Amino acid sequence: MNVLSFPNKQPTHFAVSVRLRRDASPGDEVSFQRGTEDWLSCHELRAEGSQTRFVVVADRELTPVDQANVLLCLLDLHAVRQARVGPIVREGDDLKANLSGSYWIEADPHDVTVLAARVLYEAGRLDGDEFLAAIGGFVLRVSDVATEDLEGQS
């Protein structure tokens, strides 16, 4: 019997940033927090970080399907105005650096492009990579970099 050795898969993670509606009540925020934690737990994922800026981690390798599903879960929550996911990063990389990274896939609940891509994704016509590309792919937000630079100088 020939035994093949496969390299161990490294755990991965990706950053998430959420902007809540300006008129979100404290009850909406609690509902958002509980909804996020419950959904992640049901899908064997967990969040590390704050309420609206966190890293999604798992005891397995994450995929673009995980990113797409987390993004869609967040968009379903009433208090969310915009959700962003960062690229999948290997475990050895610095979590804090990735959390403050400026490469994001952004989506908001009422964007027609997101709604159309969601229909195709949920119908099985797009995979995770294709869904993320359809809603715009990863972009560098120059305004985020400028804001982070100003915050770092304080």
Side-chain angles (χ1 to χ4, degrees):
M1 181 171 174
N2 186 3
V3 178
L4 298 174
S5 63
F6 294 97
N8 291 336
K9 291 185 176 180
Q10 289 184 321
T12 53
H13 58 269
F14 59 90
V16 174
S17 175
V18 179
R19 292 184 180 160
L20 300 179
R21 288 187 357 253
R22 287 187 177 95
D23 65 345
S25 70
D28 290 337
E29 291 184 28
V30 168
S31 179
F32 161 76
Q33 184 71 30
R34 286 185 183 152
T36 303
E37 290 172 357
D38 290 346
W39 189 92
L40 290 171
S41 178
C42 287
H43 292 86
E44 299 177 355
L45 303 170
R46 62 187 182 281
E48 295 179 0
S50 69
Q51 180 183 20
T52 59
R53 289 182 69 93
F54 54 90
V55 175
V56 173
V57 295
D59 295 328
R60 60 178 171 79
E61 193 165 344
L62 296 170
T63 66
V65 170
D66 293 309
Q67 290 175 295
N69 291 341
V70 167
L71 191 62
L72 291 175
C73 160
L74 293 169
L75 294 178
D76 286 342
L77 297 171
H78 177 68
V80 174
R81 175 169 57 112
Q82 181 188 58
R84 300 174 175 185
V85 295
I88 294 175
V89 182
R90 298 277 170 228
E91 186 64 34
D93 298 332
D94 183 22
L95 290 177
K96 186 173 182 180
N98 292 316
L99 191 56
S100 65
S102 296
Y103 285 101
W104 298 100
I105 292 176
E106 300 178 345
D108 74 53
H110 306 294
D111 184 338
V112 176
T113 303
V114 173
L115 297 173
R118 180 181 195 150
V119 168
L120 294 171
Y121 175 69
E122 290 177 347
R125 301 289 185 135
L126 298 177
D127 65 16
D129 277 325
E130 293 167 333
F131 170 75
L132 297 173
I135 63 172
F138 288 99
V139 294
L140 174 64
R141 294 289 179 213
V142 178
S143 60
D144 290 345
V145 174
T147 302
E148 288 169 9
D149 288 344
L150 290 174
E151 289 173 359
Q153 293 175 2
S154 300

